[in-house]
Each structure stands twice: as C-alpha cells, then as structure tokens.
Amino acid sequence: MDAVRVALLREVLAGTEWLGATRRFAGVLRGSVVAHGGGLLLVGTPAYEPWHLAAHLVDEAAWSGTPELAPTLVRHHARPCDPPHLAVGPGRIEAARRGETLLVVAPEEPTPLLERVHDARRAGVTVLALGADAGELAAMAHDTLAVPKGAELDLDTVQHLVSAAAGENGGSPRARRGFRDRLARLTEILTAPPPAPW
C-alpha cells in the first residue's frame, strides 16, 4: 500500500477510533526506539511473519530521517543460508537487553514466544504488541494495539496505518529542523542508492 492509498484509507476512517489508535501506538513505538537510539526487533508467529511491516518500517525510517525505526526482523524458521536481513532467529530475542524494543505482531496468542517475550521484558526490553486482543502477551506488553477478529480492519491494514504514522514527523524534535537541514536530508535521500530488495 503506497502513501496515496494510506491517505485515502485515512479519509475513509476519519471519525473512527482507528486513526487515533494507530497514531497513538505508532507514537509509542517511535518514542521508544528514538529515545533509546534504535534497537527495534520485530517478530511474528511461526505461521505469521510480519515481513511486510518490516519493509514498510525500513522505508519510513529512510523517508522520515529516523533510522531507529528500521527493525531487525526475527524469523522463526530463519536459516544461516538466508540473506542476512532474513537470517535472524528467535535467539535474538533472548539476547535483547535494556534499551531495545520488541514489537510482537500476532493475529492470535503467540504461545511459542511467550517465555522469550517474558524474559526479554525482565531484561529491560520494551515490549509492544499488535494484533491479539487478550491473553498473556497483552498482559505483559508495555503497550498494545488490539485488532480483534471480525474488526472493521484486518491486521495487515492496521500495520500499514501504524508504519505510516510511525514515520510522521509531527511532534518530534526532527520536525523543527531548519530549511537547510531538511534540504540536506532530502538531497541525501534522493542521491542514496536504492535499498536492497526484500
């Protein structure tokens, strides 16, 4: 979904709770990673890997000048022969420490992950949950955005709204940069080589 479609979706959702909820959650996500200088881990379930959200967050990180938003995608079935950005396994969650943020995206309770998420939280990791609307994950997360089954929006659409809102500059110190700083950043973005394909 491109920026134009996200803008149209936001128009359709005007007046609903979804816009405020996704912007609030995105603000918590952005605030957590920016405050600690990065370290965003993104994980799903063995059956649902949020690779699409990872790609959108990488784009938003580049476009917004907020490199801290670029996540490390943690995959349940990662293999050493996979490309480096796809070869990070669940052991990375165990290695997470204070100052890092773990975003769990799961359409239902991610039972195989709960012990690792709990240990990460005890180690000082900020835990955010997107998807499942109840259960142990929601109870242990610092913040959640529930997407109940049968809701007006599905989990994939909500992820588009969250990633777009996370990349917005509103309210951050970055938004108050001078004209020359913004121009220099735009030049840097336009002259940078394209990102590696997912």
Side-chain angles (χ1 to χ4, degrees), residues 27 31 35 49 52 54 61 67 71 76 95 101 118 123 128 152 155 157 163 186:
E49 290 187 339
H52 202 141
H76 293 271
T101 301
H118 183 263
L128 304 177
E152 304 85 21
L155 184 56
T157 303
S163 64
L186 178 61

Side-chain angles (χ1 to χ4, degrees), residues 24-193:
R24 181 201 58 78
F25 187 78
V28 171
L29 170 63
R30 183 183 176 112
S32 177
V33 298
V34 170
H36 295 107
L40 174 58
L41 303 175
L42 177 61
V43 67
T45 67
Y48 185 87
E49 290 187 339
W51 60 268
H52 202 141
L53 177 58
H56 282 292
L57 285 172
V58 166
D59 289 344
E60 292 295 338
W63 294 332
S64 68
T66 313
E68 301 91 348
L69 281 175
T72 297
L73 179 61
V74 177
R75 300 179 62 229
H76 293 271
H77 306 293
R79 300 168 301 170
C81 62
D82 289 335
H85 67 284
L86 298 176
V88 178
R92 178 61 181 88
I93 297 171
E94 295 167 9
R97 294 293 171 252
R98 182 172 306 283
E100 292 185 285
T101 301
L102 174 62
L103 174 55
V104 182
V105 180
E108 66 274 328
E109 185 77 356
T111 305
L113 267 182
L114 292 176
E115 187 174 332
R116 284 187 167 133
V117 172
H118 183 263
D119 291 345
R121 182 181 166 117
R122 286 182 44 200
V125 174
T126 300
V127 177
L128 304 177
L130 176 59
D133 60 341
E136 290 182 54
L137 176 62
M140 76 174 76
H142 291 90
D143 203 339
T144 63
L145 177 56
V147 185
K149 289 186 179 177
E152 304 85 21
L153 300 179
D154 63 11
L155 184 56
D156 290 335
T157 303
V158 171
Q159 289 176 69
H160 284 289
L161 292 169
V162 167
S163 64
E168 292 175 343
N169 286 331
S172 80
R174 294 177 190 277
R176 293 185 287 277
R177 294 183 294 186
F179 175 76
R180 288 184 185 188
D181 291 334
R182 291 189 309 248
L183 185 59
R185 180 68 190 136
L186 178 61
T187 303
E188 182 180 306
I189 291 169
L190 293 175
T191 58

